[in-house]
Amino acid sequence: MHLILIIVAVIAAYVIGSLSGSLLLGPLFDQADLRSSGSGNAGATNALRAGGRGYGLAVLAFDIVKGAVAARFVPILLHTLGPWPFVCGIMVILGHVYPVFYGFRGGKGAATCIGVLAVLLPGSLVLGAAVWVAVLVASGFVGLATILGMLGVALASFFVPGVPPAGHVFVIAASLIILYTHRSNIERMRAGNENRFERARIWRRR
C-alpha cells in the first residue's frame, strides 16, 4: 500500500506541474498559445513580454503556487514525510518543463522551483533571490540571473542549518534542470543577441 501511495504522490506532483499557468490563463488576457510567440517559452518572462505586466504576474503567481502546493500538500498522502517533499518538488518542476497536457512543451521551471523552495528551503531561497536581483539589475539578463540565482540557492543550502541530505540532492538536481532549460539563453548570450530587460538595469542607469 505504501508503494502505491508513493506512486500516486509522485504522479500527482507531476500532474500539478503540468498545469501550465500561461496556457490556462491565456484566454483571460486575450492571449493564444504563448509558445507560438516571443521566445516560444510558456513561462512568466515570456508572458510578461507578450501580454504585459498583468498576464506576466498572473502566470508567475500561478506557477509559484503550484510548486508550493505540490511540495507542501501532496506528500501528506504518504503519512510520513522523509525525502518525499523534495521528490515531489522535482516532479512538479519536471511537470512544468514537460507538461503531459501540452505535448511536453512547457516553461523553464524557475517559478515553480521558487514555490518549492519557499516551502522546503526558504533560508536558501533568500540568498538565491538576492543573487537574482543583483545579477538582473547589473546585466538585465533574466536567464543569467535565474541560473546564478539557483546556483546561489544550491551554495546556501550547504551553509543553512537543518537542510537534510535530500535537500542537497534536490537543489543540485533542480540547478541542473534550470541550467539545462536555459541552455538557449546561454547560447544567445554567447552570440550577443540575448534580450535584456532594460527597465531592470538600475545599475547602468545610475
Side-chain angles (χ1 to χ4, degrees), residues 9-168:
V10 168
I11 293 175
Y14 172 77
V15 169
I16 291 172
S18 293
L19 300 172
S20 174
S22 65
L23 300 177
L24 289 173
L25 299 176
L28 299 178
F29 293 88
D30 295 322
Q31 295 294 318
D33 191 332
L34 189 63
R35 297 171 299 177
S36 62
S37 62
S39 66
N41 180 258
T45 301
N46 197 33
L48 175 66
R49 288 174 177 151
R53 185 179 301 174
Y55 183 37
L57 290 176
V59 172
L60 178 66
F62 185 100
D63 291 341
I64 289 175
V65 168
K66 75 181 181 184
V69 167
R72 172 62 72 189
F73 297 109
V74 172
I76 293 176
L77 294 171
L78 304 177
H79 306 295
T80 177
L81 296 181
W84 298 112
F86 296 102
V87 174
C88 289
I90 286 295
M91 292 307 298
V92 71
I93 295 170
L94 289 175
H96 178 81
V97 176
Y98 302 108
V100 67
F101 304 124
Y102 303 103
F104 302 99
R105 288 182 55 217
K108 297 183 179 179
T112 303
C113 186
I114 289 172
V116 176
L117 290 169
V119 167
L120 301 181
L121 298 173
S124 300
L125 178 60
V126 170
L127 177 60
V131 172
W132 185 87
V133 170
V135 175
L136 183 63
V137 300
S139 70
F141 291 130
V142 177
L144 179 63
T146 302
I147 293 169
L148 295 182
M150 192 62 215
L151 292 178
V153 169
L155 180 63
S157 71
F158 289 93
F159 295 94
V160 174
V163 176
H168 298 310

